[in-house]
Amino acid sequence: MRDHVIAVDVGTGSARAGVVDRNGHLLVRCEHPILLRRPQDERGEHASEDIWRACCHSVRSALAQSGIAPDRIAALAFDATCSLVLRDHDGAPLALDWQDGEAFDTIAWLDHRATAQAEECNRTGHPTLAHSGGSISPEMQMPKLMWLKRHRPDLWDRLGYLFDLSDYLTWRATGSTERSVCTLTSKWNFVAGRASGWQADFLRLIGLDDLVEKGTLPDVAVPVGAPVGRLSAAVAAELGLDETVSVAAGMIDAYAGALGVLGGVAADPHVLHQQTALVGGTSSCIISFASNPQFGKSLWGPYQETVFAGQWLVEAGQSATGALLGHLLRLHSLGGDPTPERHQQVIARVQQLRAIEGSGFAERINILPDFHGNRSPFADPHLTGVISGLTLDASFDGLCRLYWRACVAIALGLRQILETMAESGMHSSVLHLTGGHVKNPLLVELYADVTGCDLVIPDSRDAVLVGTAMNAAAAGGLYKSLTEAGAAMAPSGERIAPNPANRTLYDRDYAKFLTMQRHRVELNGL
């Protein structure tokens, strides 16, 4: 009986694979690092062959540790960051550069080399911009493709295939060049539901009229919960599986997390529309759904049926959250390498200091967390962070004060985003948190207290993998639909209510936060 699936999640620094049963239980989770090359501050590159090897290693390890026989695996699904993979006509890597024998052929999601091209897109005033909050981010694919065509014509001339990373992985697994509705609608300015989703007039405006031909891109895409094909014989042997295993359409990693935490309520739109997924890691994604398209400045979307049939997805984001906390550790003389253990040491000391000093702990330090630009609500990649209230304190406790106030700033930014989404018609009373931030008790507490929303923490160790497993289960026929898979496989969770005693404290912090933003505008205008 084929009653299990395999989910693979590719993040910024590693590939994770899990074996999941039809009830949504994550039996085993295995992880393998991937390379990230940073030739310049604003650039990031992966090697797709390295990513594929990491995926295979993780899958084989997870399958072996689970003890589940290969003939019980019904389907496999991938989610990944929205990184851009370049391949030539033969399907071989088309390297931006080489390092230590690896072909770095993938522009990472966090890469901002195409900021000027994103601004050029925005000056066109094309109607498609409404689906990107009025402006396209340099993290999306069109600006990166414009940069590639203009700055690396040698590579553009040799292009045979262009893939979002999760679509590359389904291609490697099956040989199918089908693409996912999830990736194309959210990152490629593709309009689902048309005979051809490509907007030819927009592509002409930005100089990419040859994009579809160059990238071997299809006119229609495959929805989440549907298969793109089955494992090829070679890949089945590589993974220790068989050729009957279905491979689901790929997903953007944050949307897999949203599916993992909201899949259980997706069958009831009224309930779904009052819930928001908060996927917190290096950056943070805030994801809601609506039955009708909801537009708003700095909000990515609305994207039609990007995850659920009949639903429009809207996403907001914070460009640096976990990355900001790690940066502060590196920056401080007593911080060091931002390992999980180091984060926990700082968090433990923060809790001790808060118990000693009370609610006013470190309150004179105020931070704007836009150290990697601002995705929402300002959609400005040029914005920078601000720290106010520093002294000559270079002690470890001084680091802990900075760390705490950065956590507060991240939560204040989330509150501002939720208010922005509410102005566009998306009102949420419940936040579902998944990702690495679940392991940070400071953020968990603050997300509830600062926003005033109930916070739900899923019991699953990895709701992103569970969401990807829901996709696999629907594609593999374990369930008739994605919503049915979501209802059957959704994890239970702990519900945390905000502490009303802290409301006045964080209202005051929020007033300072907004004041600092106004002052930043004034300073930048001088």
Side-chain angles (χ1 to χ4, degrees):
M1 177 183 294
R2 295 187 181 269
D3 52 0
H4 289 71
V5 297
I6 292 177
V8 182
D9 165 41
V10 179
T12 306
S14 65
R16 284 82 69 173
V19 178
V20 183
D21 69 18
R22 64 176 292 117
N23 297 315
H25 299 133
L26 178 59
L27 306 182
V28 174
R29 179 187 187 277
C30 291
E31 186 167 353
H32 194 77
I34 62 174
L35 300 171
L36 175 63
R37 179 175 180 267
R38 299 300 300 269
Q40 298 177 28
D41 286 344
E42 78 280 6
R43 297 192 181 187
E45 297 168 359
H46 295 297
S48 63
E49 290 295 323
D50 168 69
I51 291 173
W52 179 250
R53 290 192 300 268
C55 290
C56 292
H57 184 280
S58 299
V59 169
R60 290 193 303 267
S61 297
L63 189 62
Q65 291 182 32
S66 72
I68 300 298
D71 62 4
R72 293 183 66 185
I73 303 299
L76 172 70
F78 297 95
D79 75 77
T81 65
C82 59
S83 301
L84 176 65
V85 184
L86 315 177
R87 290 272 159 159
D88 67 17
H89 289 283
D90 297 322
L94 198 54
L96 294 148
D97 207 346
W98 290 80
Q99 184 174 306
D100 299 327
E102 290 284 359
F104 284 83
D105 62 342
T106 302
I107 302 177
W109 70 270
L110 51 74
D111 190 292
H112 277 203
R113 76 183 68 194
T115 297
Q117 286 73 34
E119 292 171 348
E120 184 178 337
C121 285
N122 297 336
R123 287 194 296 270
T124 66
H126 192 276
T128 193
L129 300 177
H131 289 273
S132 302
S135 61
I136 290 177
S137 166
E139 295 174 8
M140 293 183 177
Q141 305 300 16
M142 289 303 168
K144 291 175 180 174
L145 292 163
M146 292 168 66
W147 181 94
L148 183 71
K149 185 174 183 179
R150 295 175 186 181
H151 292 272
R152 294 299 304 269
D154 56 320
L155 299 183
W156 190 263
D157 289 343
R158 296 165 53 204
L159 271 176
Y161 299 92
L162 291 165
F163 295 103
D164 221 274
L165 181 52
S166 64
D167 290 328
Y168 159 76
L169 295 170
T170 62
W171 170 70
R172 281 299 297 265
T174 66
S176 170
T177 58
E178 297 279 7
R179 308 299 204 277
S180 169
V181 169
C182 184
T183 59
L184 292 189
T185 57
S186 62
K187 305 303 176 184
W188 296 71
N189 299 102
F190 182 91
V191 181
R194 296 182 180 179
S196 174
W198 300 106
Q199 301 179 77
D201 60 338
F202 178 61
L203 296 180
R204 282 194 299 271
L205 278 174
I206 61 175
L208 293 179
D209 47 304
D210 56 346
L211 173 65
V212 174
E213 179 183 358
K214 280 287 184 182
T216 315
L217 295 163
D219 288 331
V220 295
V222 180
V224 175
V228 297
R230 298 185 184 276
L231 288 180
S232 68
V235 170
E238 193 173 10
L239 298 179
L241 296 168
D242 58 58
E243 296 174 62
T244 63
V245 173
S246 295
V247 177
M251 294 191 72
I252 299 298
D253 54 350
Y255 298 169
L259 173 56
V261 295
L262 299 180
V265 299
D268 186 340
H270 177 72
V271 175
L272 175 64
H273 298 163
Q274 299 177 54
Q275 321 278 314
T276 292
L278 172 56
V279 185
T282 304
S283 61
S284 293
C285 297
I286 301 95
I287 299 165
S288 293
F289 294 90
S291 294
N292 298 301
Q294 305 290 333
F295 295 88
K297 183 181 184 300
S298 83
L299 303 181
W300 292 358
Y303 302 132
Q304 186 175 11
E305 300 191 339
T306 297
V307 177
F308 300 119
Q311 295 294 318
W312 296 77
L313 181 149
V314 174
E315 175 190 356
Q318 294 172 281
S319 295
T321 51
L324 172 59
L325 299 179
H327 176 69
L328 291 177
L329 292 183
R330 290 191 190 93
L331 195 65
H332 198 280
S333 61
L334 296 181
D337 193 39
T339 62
E341 294 75 21
R342 192 54 170 166
H343 280 282
Q344 291 305 318
Q345 289 169 358
V346 172
I347 289 167
R349 182 56 179 163
V350 168
Q351 299 289 48
Q352 291 173 352
L353 292 170
R354 291 177 67 202
I356 294 168
E357 299 186 22
S359 61
F361 170 61
E363 65 180 354
R364 293 185 65 188
I365 297 174
N366 294 284
I367 298 175
L368 295 182
D370 305 315
F371 284 54
H372 193 55
N374 180 283
R375 192 183 302 172
S376 303
F378 301 118
D380 187 348
H382 298 293
L383 282 183
T384 55
V386 178
I387 302 177
S388 171
L390 293 178
T391 69
L392 293 178
D393 184 0
S395 68
F396 181 72
D397 283 358
L399 167 63
C400 293
R401 294 174 196 279
L402 271 174
Y403 191 98
W404 163 246
R405 294 301 288 177
C407 290
V408 172
I410 289 167
L412 293 170
L414 173 63
R415 174 174 168 176
Q416 188 175 33
I417 288 170
L418 292 175
E419 290 181 358
T420 300
M421 297 179 79
E423 290 170 1
S424 296
M426 289 159 288
H427 300 269
S428 296
S429 57
V430 181
L431 292 173
H432 295 257
L433 177 63
T434 186
H437 294 191
V438 169
K439 302 174 185 176
N440 187 326
L442 304 178
L443 290 175
V444 169
E445 174 189 334
L446 287 163
Y447 284 149
D449 288 355
V450 172
T451 67
C453 296
D454 282 3
L455 189 71
V456 176
I457 309 294
D459 292 338
S460 171
R461 289 174 292 164
D462 195 325
V464 176
L465 280 178
V466 171
T468 302
M470 293 174 182
N471 181 23
L478 296 185
Y479 296 98
K480 295 178 181 179
S481 67
L482 190 64
T483 53
E484 186 177 308
M489 300 174 71
S492 56
E494 175 190 6
R495 196 176 184 110
I496 301 171
N499 183 352
N502 292 328
R503 184 69 187 186
T504 299
L505 172 69
Y506 294 126
D507 281 348
R508 184 168 64 247
D509 277 330
Y510 190 53
K512 295 178 184 178
F513 188 78
L514 299 178
T515 299
M516 288 180 69
Q517 289 178 346
R518 291 195 297 271
H519 289 169
R520 180 173 59 186
V521 171
E522 293 171 1
L523 287 169
N524 290 342
L526 291 176

